[in-house]
Amino acid sequence: MLRKVSAALCATAVIALAGFNGANAQDTKMTFGITAPVEDNGFSYTPFEVLVREIEGRSAGSIDVDFFPGGQLGNVESTINATMDGVMQASSAADGAITSIFPELQVLSIPYIFAGREVAWDVLDGPFGQKLSDLMAEKTGLRPLGWYENGGYRHYSSAKKELKTVEDLAGLKMRTMSHPMHMQIAKSLGMSPTPVPWGELYISLQSGVVDGQENAIPTFLVPKLEEVQKNMILDGHVYATTTVVVNEGWYQSLSEEQRAILKQATDIAVGTSRGLSVSGELIGRTYLEKSGVKVNDVSATEKAKFRDKAQGPAIEWLRGQIDGALIDDLLAEVAKSEAKFGY
């Protein structure tokens, strides 16, 4: 059920939840907290509301979901930790919030790895995506329920100059998340990667602390960055993902039927997130161009230059951070998928 509670009640709820032991098989309560606020047809909220509705409807009360949007149970880091500890059963986070505890997730941020959305979906919904989920559950106690699309492909923008080629990025002070792979990509493309917290992004761009930033178009629109960024290049360096993570002990305590319900509900919710991201990207581009933002596509020839400069160094760097076999597995699955779709 959808819950809107006061800060005081939130604190009480979290304290009450602290007694939960994820291994108790008889407990089918699913407390689920996200930081995204309630929003109609929002790519960062609606898929999770759909997930809740689908779980409750399909389980007929077997799984009772208490849903707390809008950061009512804390920020991303605190809800992830609470889920890992079994204080709550589920939370959501983009890849950047998880890489510090599961660096293997950076494999999905290898630049220009997914030539098209259909390749990304095929790989993430197939054996590789399942392998990554199982590995994360084993190493962290957090099991991903599906690989959601977090607004689409990430692109670079700038206040200083129009961006048409990879050379135009050279020398820019580019805001990134505190995500090692994202920083590595920016560096390989000739920029100076500068982590800035999300809440400080607008003022940092407005004041010139950084020249530009990188996000998917729907994410770019959330803080109205079109007011301080008038140039964008659709290079699509990273396919942005997010996920719902559940406490592994709690997940293993569920019956096979309940796990099947979670899988069914997840499939519907993931499809919702992908559809909203695709439509948000298309609608968002039209809005940006009407707002005076110069949005440039990248030709196949120019895209190859981006990939040549960034992908090799990124893979080499990542091999020093995680088991290289995981990278090889991803590359092999991507090659199979590209052949399947005629790339």
Side-chain angles (χ1 to χ4, degrees):
M1 63 190 76
L2 181 63
R3 299 294 181 90
K4 297 181 181 180
V5 297
S6 68
L9 287 176
C10 277
T12 302
V14 171
I15 291 170
L17 288 167
F20 169 78
N21 182 336
N24 288 341
Q26 72 273 18
D27 198 326
T28 55
K29 176 73 71 176
M30 180 178 172
T31 300
F32 179 24
I34 67 172
T35 58
V38 176
E39 179 186 8
D40 291 338
N41 292 320
F43 75 95
S44 62
Y45 167 76
T46 301
F48 306 125
E49 182 183 21
V50 168
L51 179 69
V52 171
R53 305 302 186 195
E54 289 291 328
I55 291 173
E56 292 190 324
R58 291 168 183 271
S59 70
S62 171
I63 303 174
D64 181 19
V65 187
D66 279 345
F67 184 37
F68 296 88
Q72 295 177 72
L73 297 184
N75 61 22
V76 172
E77 290 76 14
S78 62
T79 55
I80 289 293
N81 287 333
T83 304
M84 197 157 36
D85 293 340
V87 174
M88 54 194 288
Q89 290 76 61
S91 53
S92 73
D95 56 355
I98 297 176
T99 54
S100 62
I101 59 172
F102 185 61
E104 288 83 356
L105 193 57
Q106 293 178 100
V107 73
L108 298 183
S109 294
I110 291 175
Y112 312 105
I113 190 66
F114 297 124
R117 275 187 165 94
E118 70 277 29
V119 175
W121 299 346
D122 191 46
V123 171
L124 293 174
D125 295 345
F128 182 83
Q130 186 60 54
K131 178 177 182 177
L132 195 61
S133 295
D134 291 342
L135 183 62
M136 183 170 163
E138 175 188 341
K139 289 200 166 191
T140 70
L142 296 171
R143 176 170 291 276
L145 295 183
W147 301 105
Y148 295 70
E149 184 165 326
N150 193 20
Y153 283 92
R154 302 177 74 95
H155 310 293
Y156 291 110
S157 68
S158 169
K160 278 191 169 182
K161 59 181 179 179
E162 185 175 356
L163 304 176
K164 292 183 177 180
T165 67
V166 67
E167 288 80 14
D168 293 331
L169 296 173
L172 291 177
K173 194 171 184 180
M174 186 61 60
R175 180 268 177 181
T176 68
M177 294 189 292
S178 294
H179 188 307
M181 178 60 87
H182 289 192
M183 297 173 71
Q184 174 64 36
I185 296 168
K187 184 177 179 181
S188 294
L189 293 174
M191 294 173 279
S192 176
T194 308
V196 173
W198 174 253
E200 300 173 15
L201 178 55
Y202 185 98
I203 189 65
S204 296
L205 291 166
Q206 185 181 50
S207 63
V209 171
V210 288
D211 302 319
Q213 62 83 59
E214 52 89 41
N215 267 302
I217 288 176
T219 308
F220 180 95
L221 292 172
V222 172
K224 301 183 182 300
L225 296 187
E226 69 274 12
E227 297 175 352
V228 291
Q229 296 278 279
K230 293 300 183 181
N231 305 282
M232 180 179 290
I233 185 168
L234 302 183
D235 72 299
H237 49 280
V238 168
Y239 173 78
T241 62
T242 189
T243 189
V244 172
V245 290
V246 296
N247 178 276
E248 175 68 356
W250 176 81
Y251 179 81
Q252 293 300 334
S253 77
L254 300 177
S255 67
E256 288 188 13
E257 181 182 2
Q258 288 172 324
R259 289 184 211 167
I261 288 168
L262 288 184
K263 175 65 167 61
Q264 294 161 5
T266 293
D267 288 346
I268 299 298
V270 168
T272 302
S273 86
R274 292 171 178 174
L276 286 172
S277 292
V278 171
S279 63
E281 195 173 71
L282 292 171
I283 294 168
R285 175 175 184 165
T286 299
Y287 169 79
L288 288 178
E289 291 178 330
K290 287 182 178 179
S291 300
V293 178
K294 182 65 175 178
V295 181
N296 287 320
D297 292 298
V298 178
S299 68
T301 300
E302 190 63 30
K303 188 71 165 281
K305 294 180 182 178
F306 277 87
R307 186 172 56 251
D308 290 345
K309 286 180 70 73
Q311 191 174 96
I315 291 174
E316 181 181 1
W317 173 84
L318 190 57
R319 287 189 186 280
Q321 309 298 313
I322 67 173
D323 184 354
L326 188 66
I327 300 172
D328 294 335
D329 286 347
L330 174 60
L331 295 175
E333 289 301 313
V334 166
K336 288 180 186 177
S337 186
E338 288 181 343
K340 174 181 176 180
F341 291 110
Y343 281 92

